[in-house]
Amino acid sequence: MFVSGFMVPIKDVLKCEASSTVKDVLNLMMNWQVSSLVIVLEDKPTGIITKTDMCWCYQNGIALETQIGDVMPWTAGLKKILVTADKDTAAKFFEKHNVHHALVVDSNDKPVGLISALDIAKEVAKDSRAWPYNRHEDGKAHTVDAH
């Protein structure tokens, strides 16, 4: 299964401007019950802010009025994975980079979605429930051809 089959499509990804405040980001995360937002600057994704980052803000006494662009993990860089990667490749990518979220891009580096470690875990669980059938790229279980 390719990440395109279980990512959040870019049109459904919550975004915020780098000028948004810590309070704005917290409110978006809580109201939409999401664990991350894509930060954009001039309509271009520049980072991903997570609940872990928000906990860091709290622990370090960052004021709610602080712009998120001033506290986001710029040094980590925006982690991107190709839309054609399979779930195993995505899991290895997350492990290698020690991240839980990544922007999904096409071969032209155009953002097409967002994926999280939870999305991968859900796909693995679906595979285990599909056994003894094989799941194909379409996400559906198909019987194994014995020929």
Side-chain angles (χ1 to χ4, degrees):
M1 171 67 73
F2 298 119
V3 296
S4 60
F6 57 91
M7 69 181 186
V8 176
I10 197 69
K11 67 177 181 59
D12 297 333
V13 172
L14 285 179
K15 303 167 195 75
C16 68
E17 294 287 333
S19 60
S20 300
T21 65
V22 169
K23 183 177 181 178
D24 294 334
V25 170
L26 285 170
N27 284 332
L28 279 169
M29 286 181 171
M30 295 305 294
N31 291 340
W32 289 92
Q33 297 182 352
V34 296
S35 61
S36 66
L37 298 173
V38 172
I39 299 176
V40 295
L41 187 59
E42 299 175 5
D43 290 326
K44 182 181 178 195
T46 57
I48 297 173
I49 195 87
T50 68
K51 285 184 179 179
T52 302
D53 299 320
M54 295 290 88
C55 290
W56 180 90
C57 287
Y58 173 78
Q59 184 179 32
N60 288 281
I62 304 298
L64 292 175
E65 296 77 27
T66 304
Q67 289 187 356
I68 207 65
D70 293 339
V71 296
M72 71 174 276
W74 291 101
T75 56
L78 179 59
K79 300 300 183 215
K80 300 176 187 177
I81 190 164
L82 281 173
V83 70
T84 55
D86 62 31
K87 69 179 179 311
D88 295 329
T89 301
K92 289 174 188 170
F93 174 90
F94 279 38
E95 179 183 28
K96 176 182 177 183
H97 296 286
N98 196 28
V99 295
H100 296 109
H101 298 83
L103 190 68
V104 181
V105 296
D106 65 14
S107 59
N108 296 318
D109 204 40
K110 179 184 175 198
V112 295
L114 184 70
I115 187 171
S116 72
L118 181 59
D119 296 327
I120 296 169
K122 286 179 182 179
E123 281 306 303
V124 170
K126 287 178 184 176
D127 280 347
S128 68
R129 287 193 304 265
W131 187 87
Y133 303 100
N134 287 338
R135 287 182 64 230
H136 291 258
E137 286 77 25
D138 64 7
K140 297 177 182 168
H142 299 273
T143 57
V144 177
D145 186 9
H147 300 295

